[in-house]
Amino acid sequence: QVQLVESGGGSVQAGGSLRLSCADSGYVDSWKCVGWFRQAPGKEREGVAILAAISGMPYYVDSVKGRFTISKDKTKNAVYLQMNSLKPEDDAMYYCAAQIVRGSCFFPPRESTFPYWGQGQRVTVSS
């Protein structure tokens, strides 16, 4: 059973950095699409950074391009989101999501295609 466990959230000032981690007990090699969504208060959840496991291609929402980087480490069964130059508008709850069905990794990501979710990590950015 896929179980995603996240860590790394916290509070930073604008311009600071955080790294989110998402680990699974052993299904990393089965992931076909994995990444991060976020939801700010009063807003819809949006896909922030997605990694297509087969092609290795990443997707980033325009607002984080050049600042966020998604990566995967098979040796640690983990996916990371390095967030640099954080802005107040990045303030949100961040969720790791994964799916293991081949051919279902869309850019931009479709939330409904991800059956596995982490518990969420709060990222607070103060100005």
Side-chain angles (χ1 to χ4, degrees):
Q1 182 177 352
V2 177
Q3 188 171 11
L4 304 178
V5 179
E6 303 163 3
S7 60
S11 297
V12 295
Q13 289 191 327
S17 298
L18 284 173
R19 189 178 79 155
L20 301 179
S21 300
C22 175
D24 182 75
S25 59
Y27 283 82
V28 170
D29 282 351
S30 298
W31 292 346
K32 299 300 182 287
C33 198
V34 61
W36 299 87
F37 289 74
R38 68 184 178 187
Q39 186 167 22
K43 296 187 177 181
E44 293 187 354
R45 190 152 54 181
E46 67 171 347
V48 176
I50 302 295
L51 187 63
I54 295 176
S55 67
M57 286 186 61
Y59 161 88
Y60 298 100
V61 69
D62 285 347
S63 60
V64 309
K65 285 180 180 177
R67 301 187 297 119
F68 289 13
T69 303
I70 185 172
S71 61
K72 186 175 76 168
D73 186 339
K74 288 195 296 184
T75 64
K76 297 183 179 180
N77 294 331
V79 170
Y80 305 100
L81 184 66
Q82 179 66 44
M83 304 184 293
N84 298 328
S85 302
L86 282 161
K87 302 177 180 180
E89 50 263 46
D90 297 317
D91 191 305
M93 185 71 79
Y94 285 71
Y95 298 91
C96 177
Q99 57 101 322
I100 58 176
V101 177
R102 188 185 183 98
S104 297
C105 197
F106 301 99
F107 293 171
R110 301 176 186 178
E111 185 179 337
S112 61
T113 62
F114 289 84
Y116 306 108
W117 292 82
Q119 78 281 11
Q121 287 289 300
R122 188 72 176 87
V123 172
T124 302
V125 185
S126 57
S127 57

